[in-house]
Amino acid sequence: QVQLVESGGGLVQPGGSLRLSCAASLNIFSMDGVAWYRQAPGKQRELVARITSGGITTYQDSVKGRFTISRDNNKKTAYLQMSSLKPEDTAVYYCNAALRIQSWSTVRDYWGQGTQVTVSS
């Protein structure tokens, strides 16, 4: 059973940086579109950033200029580089990706279990 696995979360001071990673737990054929979402306590899950298979990116306005989404197609891994972090960035961050397990498989949507990011002094 393929799973998406996030890593890189943790506790960081305001103004600090973290890099989140998202990869499949098993070898897969391809990773297509990838998005990062976050959910703060008592709030709805929201889209943070998205990257297409061709590398086109979009961002939520509140993170523009501070966060960068990227991907390594050879490693089938996506990243979210977060800089100038603020306390309001505190949330569980989730990776969402369209994966093709085998070359003949249909593309399916997967979610990771989430990684906690806490921004606090």
Side-chain angles (χ1 to χ4, degrees):
Q1 182 82 14
V2 174
Q3 295 179 329
L4 271 183
V5 179
E6 302 106 334
S7 62
L11 173 64
V12 64
Q13 291 186 341
S17 299
L18 283 175
R19 188 176 82 154
L20 306 182
S21 299
C22 171
S25 59
L26 301 174
N27 192 28
I28 60 172
F29 179 75
S30 67
M31 174 183 278
D32 295 343
V34 180
W36 287 95
Y37 289 78
R38 67 186 179 186
Q39 187 166 19
K43 295 188 177 181
Q44 289 189 331
R45 190 173 296 189
E46 61 179 8
L47 176 65
V48 176
R50 185 189 302 274
I51 185 167
T52 68
S53 57
I56 297 172
T57 59
T58 55
Y59 296 92
Q60 180 192 105
D61 284 347
S62 69
V63 307
K64 285 181 180 177
R66 300 189 298 121
F67 290 12
T68 302
I69 188 171
S70 62
R71 60 189 300 148
D72 183 328
N73 289 332
N74 289 330
K75 294 182 179 179
K76 301 182 184 69
T77 300
Y79 306 96
L80 184 68
Q81 177 68 47
M82 305 184 293
S83 302
S84 301
L85 282 161
K86 305 174 181 180
E88 51 264 43
D89 294 317
T90 295
V92 178
Y93 283 71
Y94 297 90
C95 180
N96 170 237
L99 304 181
R100 189 184 302 273
I101 307 305
Q102 304 288 351
S103 60
W104 59 86
S105 305
T106 56
V107 174
R108 289 183 56 194
D109 194 59
Y110 289 81
W111 285 88
Q113 292 185 316
T115 184
Q116 177 70 47
V117 171
T118 302
V119 184
S120 175
S121 55

